[in-house]
Amino acid sequence: MSDLVDTIGLAILTGVDAEDQLAVVRRAAEADRATHDLLQQAVTAARAGGHSWAAIGSTLGLTRQAAQQRFGRDDAGDDTGDNSNAPDGPEERWLGPVTAFDEMAELEIAGRLGWHTVGAGLLRHRMVRTATQWEHKRVLWTGSLARYERDGWQVGCRALPWVYLVRDTGEPAQQPAR
C-alpha cells in the first residue's frame, strides 16, 4: 500500500500534465472506494465475530459511537429482503447465507431471475433486480480488471480476496417458479 501512496505522491509532486493529473485523481478515487469497501467488510466481520463497537472504535482510533455511526448500517441485520426504505428505488434483497462453495450456483440461479450482486457481507450478497438476466463471475482480486471489462463485465462488488463481476445478458429475466 505504501508503494501506491508513494507513486501517487510522486506523481502529484513532479508536476504531471493535466490529463495525467485526472488519471491520478481517478486512480486515487478507485483506491479510496476499494479500501472503504474492505474496511466496511472487516468491521462487519469483526461485529459478526462478537467484537464490540468500543473495541472496533479503539482499534480505529474512534469512539464507540463514531465507529457505530460510520460503519453500522441500518440494513446490516435485515435479511428480510424488505426494501421499504426506498420505495421508488430498485427492488433489493439479501441472498444468503452462502459460502464460497455454493455461492456461484446460487448467483447463477438469481441471475436468471434478474438479480445481480451490488454488495457483499459476511456469507451473503446484496442483490438488485432488473428485467434482464445477469451472469456472475468470481475472480481473485489481483489487479487490473481491464481484460474482463473488455468482455462486458463490470464490478458488482469487492469482498477480499474476491471481486464479483456481473454482466447483463440482455435476455428477459425468467419468472420464478410458483
Side-chain angles (χ1 to χ4, degrees):
M1 184 64 154
S2 66
D3 290 343
L4 175 64
V5 171
D6 291 344
T7 302
I8 291 172
L10 183 61
I12 292 169
L13 293 174
T14 59
V16 295
D17 65 35
E19 190 170 316
D20 288 342
Q21 288 173 338
L22 291 177
V24 170
V25 169
R26 183 178 61 254
R27 294 304 301 256
E30 289 170 2
D32 183 59
R33 283 190 297 274
T35 55
H36 174 74
D37 291 347
L38 181 59
L39 183 55
Q40 180 68 56
Q41 292 169 29
V43 169
T44 301
R47 288 289 296 152
H51 294 281
S52 69
W53 284 115
I56 293 168
S58 176
T59 300
L60 296 172
L62 302 170
T63 66
R64 174 205 54 81
Q65 183 178 10
Q68 188 173 11
Q69 287 175 345
R70 181 172 173 192
F71 298 103
R73 292 189 270 182
D74 291 340
D75 63 349
D78 179 13
D79 289 319
T80 65
D82 178 31
N83 193 35
S84 58
N85 60 344
D88 296 329
E91 185 179 357
E92 296 184 21
R93 70 176 178 101
W94 284 101
L95 172 70
V98 292
T99 68
F101 301 106
D102 66 359
E103 72 182 342
M104 295 312 297
E106 294 293 327
L107 290 170
E108 181 181 344
I109 293 167
R112 286 195 305 261
L113 299 174
W115 295 95
H116 68 279
T117 294
V118 295
L122 188 62
L123 302 176
R124 60 191 188 159
H125 285 256
R126 186 75 171 161
M127 310 292 287
V128 171
R129 188 163 196 272
T130 66
T132 55
Q133 294 185 38
W134 290 81
E135 295 177 290
H136 290 82
K137 182 184 288 268
R138 179 180 68 198
V139 298
L140 277 175
W141 190 354
T142 58
S144 174
L145 299 171
R147 67 180 183 264
Y148 299 108
E149 291 168 347
R150 283 191 293 272
D151 291 332
W153 293 97
Q154 58 191 20
V155 174
C157 70
R158 290 175 169 85
L160 192 68
W162 308 112
V163 175
Y164 292 90
L165 303 171
V166 296
R167 180 167 61 183
D168 189 336
T169 68
E171 297 177 32
Q174 296 177 0
Q175 295 302 313
R178 300 268 182 216

